[in-house]
Each structure stands twice: as C-alpha cells, then as structure tokens.
C-alpha cells in the first residue's frame, strides 16, 4: 500500500491467457504447480494463467531490467513461447525445475541464446546480457553481491524495472 508502483497480481505465468489447475504434487506448500485445466481436476484449485508480454502491456512496461522467476516447472511453457518478450529483458534470475518437469532447462536455454553471461549459485541460475542494465553514468549495474550497486559498491540513482515472479501461499 505504501508503494504506488507495485501491483500485486494473483495469477500464474503461462504460455497463454487461460484458466489453469493449481495442484500440490506432494512436495508441500512451497512446490505447488500449474498445468492446463482438465475435466477431472475438480479437487485442484483454479488460477488465471497469464503471459509475460500480457503483463508488460497491462502495466506499461516496455523493458524488464531484472526478471526473477521461481514458477515450479512452468518455466518450460513460459520460455517455449517467449519470442515476443525475451528481447525486452536484460537479466533473468531463475530456478529451473527439471526434477519436476522434463525440459525446463532446455526451454530456458534455447530462449536465452542472446544472453552472454550465465552462471549458477545453488538452485539459482543467472542469465544476463552484456551491458543490459546501465546507470546514467554508463557503468554496468551487474554485481555478484548486489544488483542495485555498481562495481565498487557505490549506490546509484538508476531505477530498475523489476518483474518478480515468485510463489506466495497464504
């Protein structure tokens, strides 16, 4: 409520705008997954599926400096259909869930061929374009410790547009 530029959205990223099933595959409340709605999904909750480019259009975002994503296997579907928005993203921070759904990593890596910098730390994979996020002085804002600082630890006045997609459970 205190931040006029933050808009909570209740939904799930997907390859298209559609109604999805939200189900617990048995991994606990932190591992719910989405899939296309089927006739027999009466026990599963429903959630609105939406696309990255649809959200960008809805909120007037022309470029995403940092896209953070933890969507429990739906990265396969989201990145298989990323051609309309992938060139408008500078940095992606993502958890890949091949253990839950085969093809997640393959889909992400195929879509991010234009990302020059790739590394992993724990479960998290980082993908970035050289010079993708710049301050007004032209220095790259990518830092292994903090994305909001320039190399050397100096803070900058640049305002990044961040689309963070993480599961929230109540």
């Amino acid at each position: 409520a205190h931040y006029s530029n933050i808009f909570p959205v209740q939904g799930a990223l997907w390859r298209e705008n559609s109604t999805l099933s939200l189900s617990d595959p048995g991994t606990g409340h932190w591992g719910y997954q989405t899939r296309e709605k089927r006739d027999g999904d009466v026990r599963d909750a429903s959630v609105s599926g939406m696309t990255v480019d649809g959200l960008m259009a809805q909120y007037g975002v022309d470029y995403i400096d940092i896209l953070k994503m933890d969507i429990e296997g739906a990265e396969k579907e989201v990145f298989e259909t990323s051609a309309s928005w992938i060139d408008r993203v500078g940095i992606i921070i993502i958890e890949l869930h091949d253990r839950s759904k085969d093809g997640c990593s393959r889909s992400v890596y195929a879509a991010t061929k234009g990302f020059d910098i790739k590394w992993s730390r724990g479960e998290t994979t980082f993908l970035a374009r050289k010079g993708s996020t710049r301050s007004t002085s032209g220095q790259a804002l990518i830092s292994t410790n903090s994305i909001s600082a320039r190399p050397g630890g100096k803070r900058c006045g640049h305002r990044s547009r961040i689309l963070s997609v993480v599961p929230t459970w109540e």
Side-chain angles (χ1 to χ4, degrees), residues 3-158:
Y3 301 96
S4 62
N5 60 340
I6 296 176
F7 307 95
V9 177
Q10 292 187 3
L13 284 184
W14 198 246
R15 70 173 135 234
E16 61 190 2
N17 296 322
S18 61
T19 301
L20 304 172
S21 285
L22 180 65
S23 64
D24 179 358
T27 58
H29 69 276
W30 58 86
Y32 277 69
Q33 294 179 333
T34 55
R35 66 170 188 252
E36 292 176 338
K37 192 96 170 137
R38 299 180 205 144
D39 290 336
D41 289 342
V42 292
R43 289 185 17 182
D44 291 343
S46 293
V47 63
S48 295
M50 51 196 71
T51 63
V52 172
D53 57 336
L55 286 169
M56 292 174 75
Q58 182 177 351
Y59 293 99
V61 175
D62 61 335
Y63 190 83
I64 300 171
D65 290 322
I66 303 166
L67 175 63
K68 182 180 182 307
M69 195 177 289
D70 180 8
I71 54 176
E72 302 303 321
E75 57 270 20
K76 180 180 185 303
E77 288 80 8
V78 169
F79 281 87
E80 284 176 343
T81 57
S82 64
S84 63
W85 57 266
I86 196 70
D87 290 337
R88 298 185 288 152
V89 176
I91 299 169
I92 297 172
I93 303 170
I94 190 168
E95 280 189 30
L96 300 171
H97 295 89
D98 288 293
R99 65 189 177 277
S100 303
K101 186 185 291 182
D102 188 40
C104 291
S105 294
R106 189 171 39 252
S107 175
V108 169
Y109 289 129
T112 58
K113 288 179 186 169
F115 288 67
D116 310 299
I117 304 165
K118 299 177 183 184
W119 77 95
S120 294
R121 185 173 202 175
E123 298 182 317
T124 307
T125 300
F126 300 82
L127 304 137
R129 299 176 194 278
K130 287 183 182 172
S132 59
T133 307
R134 300 205 170 269
S135 69
T136 54
S137 65
Q139 293 183 334
L141 295 171
I142 300 170
S143 167
T144 56
N145 295 325
S146 173
I147 293 176
S148 63
R150 289 189 292 229
K154 296 180 183 176
R155 291 189 51 85
C156 62
H158 177 75

